[in-house]
Each structure stands twice: as C-alpha cells, then as structure tokens.
Amino acid sequence: MSLLELRRIAGGYGGADVLTDVELRVESGEIVVIVGPNGAGKTTVMKAVFGLARVRAGSVLFDGSDITGLRPDQVVRRGMCFVPQERNVFSTLSVHENLEMGAFILSGDISGRLAQVYEIFPPLKEKRRQPAGSLSGGQRQMVAMGRALMLAPKLLLLDEPTAGLSPSQSQRR
C-alpha cells in the first residue's frame, strides 16, 4: 500500500480543469519531486491532494484511505501537512506563536517539538519573539516549514521549499 496515490485526477479551479488524468504514487520514506515549467500544474496537484483545489474526477488515497474531497483540516488530522510557497505565515503573530499554531490539533506539552524545530532552524530560536511578517523571505519559509513539522506529519507537501532561502540554508540537510 502506497502512502499517497493519485488515480486519474482531473480538476482545478472553478469550472476549468488544470489537471487531467494525473497519476502519482509516493511510498513511505520516499522523497518525490514534481518538476515542470511555471503553469504546468505542480502546485495544483498539491492543492488537489490537500483539499484546496477541486477534484472533478479520480481519487486521492492517503495511507490506505480515500481522502478525495476532504477539507484541509480533515487532511491534517490524518497526518498530512502542506507548506505553500507564498503567504505561508501568520504575519502578525510571533515566530513562536506561528509554531504553536502548527500544533493546533495536539493536546499536552509541545515543548519537545518546539525544541526540535528550533534545532532544525536555529535562526528561528533567536527571532522567536519577532512578528513573522518582519522576517526575510527565507526566514518566513523556515517558519512555515517548522509550523508543519510541529505535527510530525506522515507526509509533508512542500511547494517551492527553497524559495527565498539563502544558498547556505537551501543546501542544509
């Protein structure tokens, strides 16, 4: 059983189909990259998986369950997170508050998860009290990725994950 499987997906926005007969399989532990020119539908595929774009035909299976048409909050509760390329932080909230928002479905102590995110992205720890909107583009991208990692998702969808990052940050493991 694949972690994620798209079966003949067609759909898009409003009445227009951007995607036609898209098929994709992602196995647990795999890193999969969708490559193509601007306007090819890469972002739309991720939005369709995550419930942000309309799926007119086909199905999206995640961890053995059909999630086609579920709302994004329902998809998150099943263990998937999506980090969009743009407008991906709560700009008036602090870095720390943004990370806390990432753990919105958890109960109990999240300090261990916060420590892990600050270890992965050290610049965020020193800026944790700053409004996220005051950060550089790369730092905002780190906040958005860190917020998604707060849930330790089974699957993380990243749209242009190195956008706005300095070369040294985009090459870190």
Side-chain angles (χ1 to χ4, degrees):
M1 170 179 60
S2 298
L3 181 60
L4 178 69
E5 186 175 353
L6 307 186
R7 295 181 180 165
R8 301 190 63 142
I9 293 294
Y13 310 100
D17 280 354
V18 175
L19 309 173
T20 306
D21 287 333
V22 174
E23 301 222 354
L24 176 73
R25 291 175 70 109
V26 178
E27 304 301 328
S28 185
E30 265 189 329
I31 296 173
V32 175
V33 179
I34 301 173
V35 179
N38 288 344
K42 302 176 301 289
T43 297
T44 305
V45 167
M46 286 187 271
K47 287 182 174 183
V49 167
F50 201 66
L52 293 168
R54 178 183 55 84
V55 174
R56 182 186 53 75
S59 57
V60 178
L61 302 173
F62 177 60
D63 206 17
S65 298
D66 189 340
I67 63 166
T68 311
L70 291 184
R71 296 185 320 264
D73 64 297
Q74 295 170 313
V75 175
V76 166
R77 291 178 192 284
R78 290 176 181 250
M80 185 189 312
C81 290
F82 172 57
V83 178
Q85 178 182 358
E86 297 176 334
R87 294 179 295 283
N88 55 13
V89 298
F90 299 102
S91 59
T92 59
L93 297 180
S94 71
V95 167
H96 190 82
E97 290 166 332
N98 265 272
L99 296 178
E100 288 177 323
M101 291 294 288
F104 76 101
I105 65 172
L106 302 177
S107 59
D109 184 24
I110 61 167
S111 60
R113 291 182 192 245
L114 284 164
Q116 287 175 329
V117 170
Y118 287 137
E119 186 177 321
I120 294 168
F121 301 112
L124 298 185
K125 188 170 186 178
E126 30 186 271
K127 297 183 180 291
R128 67 185 173 274
R129 290 184 179 87
Q130 271 186 247
S134 71
L135 302 176
S136 71
Q139 291 167 337
R140 286 192 305 270
Q141 191 73 356
M142 287 184 238
V143 171
M145 286 189 235
R147 189 178 59 239
L149 291 173
M150 288 294 292
L151 289 177
K154 295 176 192 173
L155 180 65
L156 181 58
L157 303 174
L158 302 170
D159 190 5
E160 300 283 348
T162 60
L165 293 180
S166 69
S168 66
Q169 285 295 321
S170 64
Q171 294 174 5
R172 292 185 69 187
R173 56 176 202 116

